[in-house]
Amino acid sequence: MAVRLIPLFGFALAVLSGTASAQQQAFARGEEQQLHYVWKHDTASTQAFTLILPAQTALPVWTAWHSAQAESAVFQQLIRNAQEQFPEVSFRFRKTADGTTIDYQAADQQRLQQAGSWLAQQQKALFNTYLEQHYYKRHGDDNSHLIRPDHVRIAADSSTELLELARTLQRVIVSSASAEQKQRYQNDERLLVVAGLLNFVQSIPYDPLVSADGQRGITFLMPEQVLVQNRGDCDSKSVLMMTLLTALYPDLPQAIVYVPDHALLAVALPRQTGNEEMIRINGKAFLPLEVAGPAEIPPGVTGEKSRLSIRNNQYQYDLLQLTEINSTPN
């Protein structure tokens, strides 16, 4: 008998085009985890400031998905576990044109059948563990063969590490805001900061993170990598934006939204003018944020591709699980 390991494939996301660009006027990496910026946000005054990255991170440096590498890791652990679970069964693997196959034999037919059922279940469990350890997940349901970064989990786990950096950006945005901006956002600091952070992330240069033929590349960067390398594609920059918002506003509902070949962010904030595009997430209206850049697009305004996909319900989303806030007085 034999059980075949399921081949899985990478999932890459693409780009948003636009006209007017967000204004990152200067960027330089300094010593001791320092990032220096000159940035102009909308009608705010031009600001020169420094962000300081955490000295250490618990998250791994991102590596591109390789099906063969994942298959090999799962297969090796599966064989070890199988030999411990069924010492009376002989296991052998072989490579075929369709992937890796495990052959197994035993004199006891009942144990042979038990081993076959166990292998299929264990393979799935080990593969899910591999995905979790490497911050990947299936795109869609549990039967999907598309693999992508676990964007929401990456944002949640990065938010604590980048809290002080997010607070620095918050101070820069609030202190530099013009009277017109304060009036536009009705003196609501959170709305002002969300719009400012959106512009800041849009101003980070867009990079598709793949080769010209689309066949090679890392396809994604962790939030800290986006800042250090000062580049990112649509999902990398959306995750950075979610990370910063989660750090500052852990009770703000957010979702990563996937339309064909593109990703954007959505937040549970109200319209300001009444003309903004909205998107339904879990039955509720969310405000879309086109994070990719370099177009300077305000909250609630989407690119044409996103707009058509949203209106035609051709999108998927991954909702951030909110952190419970203890409001009991100390």
Side-chain angles (χ1 to χ4, degrees):
M1 290 188 178
V3 59
R4 178 165 287 112
L5 296 179
I6 305 169
L8 292 135
F9 306 95
F11 181 59
L13 297 171
V15 60
L16 173 73
S17 60
T19 53
S21 296
Q23 299 179 37
Q24 184 190 99
Q25 297 178 358
F27 169 79
R29 284 182 287 271
E31 298 179 353
E32 298 180 354
Q33 304 294 97
Q34 294 182 346
L35 304 175
H36 306 295
Y37 296 87
V38 178
W39 173 55
K40 176 75 166 63
H41 165 221
D42 195 24
T43 60
S45 57
T46 300
Q47 296 291 302
F49 58 94
T50 296
L51 299 179
I52 300 177
L53 296 167
Q56 296 180 332
T57 176
L59 278 73
V61 174
W62 191 255
T63 56
W65 173 260
H66 295 288
S67 296
Q69 183 176 330
E71 183 180 89
S72 176
V74 169
F75 165 76
Q76 291 178 30
Q77 188 62 51
L78 183 59
I79 286 290
R80 288 193 292 267
N81 293 356
Q83 290 171 339
E84 292 179 4
Q85 185 74 17
F86 299 94
E88 71 277 27
V89 178
S90 173
F91 297 94
R92 181 177 65 88
F93 79 93
R94 57 188 171 88
K95 294 287 186 179
T96 70
D98 297 325
T100 300
T101 295
I102 300 177
D103 296 324
Y104 49 104
Q105 295 179 337
D108 188 331
Q109 291 300 308
Q110 182 177 1
R111 289 296 281 170
L112 194 64
Q113 292 178 357
Q114 291 174 348
S117 299
W118 182 90
L119 280 171
Q121 296 173 358
Q122 185 74 357
Q123 177 205 338
K124 183 176 181 179
L126 287 174
F127 186 78
N128 289 335
T129 298
Y130 181 91
L131 292 179
E132 182 178 354
Q133 290 174 343
H134 294 83
Y135 282 89
Y136 279 104
K137 72 177 298 183
R138 297 176 189 267
H139 183 69
D141 60 28
D142 290 341
N143 296 318
S144 173
H145 284 200
L146 294 175
I147 302 299
R148 62 166 172 80
D150 192 344
H151 296 122
V152 168
R153 181 169 164 242
I154 291 168
D157 289 358
S158 300
S159 62
T160 302
E161 295 182 356
L162 295 184
L163 174 59
E164 291 306 315
L165 184 148
R167 286 174 173 168
T168 299
L169 280 169
Q170 181 184 38
R171 289 192 292 269
V172 169
I173 292 165
V174 172
S175 64
S176 65
S178 66
E180 184 275 333
Q181 285 176 305
K182 293 176 182 178
Q183 182 179 10
R184 189 194 317 165
Y185 295 108
Q186 304 173 7
N187 290 313
D188 186 322
E189 182 177 301
R190 185 169 69 168
L191 293 175
L192 175 69
V193 171
V194 169
L197 289 174
L198 175 60
N199 187 281
F200 173 79
V201 178
Q202 287 171 343
S203 75
I204 295 172
Y206 180 86
D207 189 319
L209 304 178
V210 294
S211 57
D213 60 9
Q215 300 301 311
R216 300 177 301 281
I218 55 176
T219 72
F220 180 75
L221 290 174
M222 291 290 199
E224 187 172 330
Q225 291 176 285
V226 173
L227 292 166
V228 171
Q229 298 183 24
N230 196 40
R231 64 178 184 137
D233 62 355
C234 57
D235 58 327
S236 302
K237 295 174 73 172
S238 293
V239 173
L240 172 59
M241 180 73 180
M242 178 179 272
T243 298
L244 298 173
L245 290 177
T246 303
L248 295 174
Y249 310 112
D251 59 339
L252 176 65
Q254 302 179 67
I256 299 278
V257 178
Y258 307 100
V259 299
D261 299 320
H262 184 53
L264 62 153
L265 196 63
V267 294
L269 290 174
R271 287 185 170 101
Q272 290 302 295
T273 67
N275 297 321
E276 291 89 349
E277 189 85 26
M278 301 298 282
I279 181 171
R280 304 298 292 182
I281 304 290
N282 265 15
K284 298 180 180 179
F286 277 52
L287 192 71
L289 305 177
E290 283 282 17
V291 184
E296 188 174 359
I297 300 179
V301 179
T302 58
E304 182 178 1
K305 177 182 288 188
S306 299
R307 182 166 56 254
L308 290 174
S309 296
I310 291 169
R311 291 180 179 179
N312 292 325
N313 290 318
Q314 295 178 341
Y315 64 90
Q316 296 176 291
Y317 60 84
D318 200 356
L319 186 64
L320 174 71
Q321 298 301 311
L322 298 181
T323 301
E324 293 186 6
I325 305 237
N326 185 1
S327 57
T328 304
N330 293 326

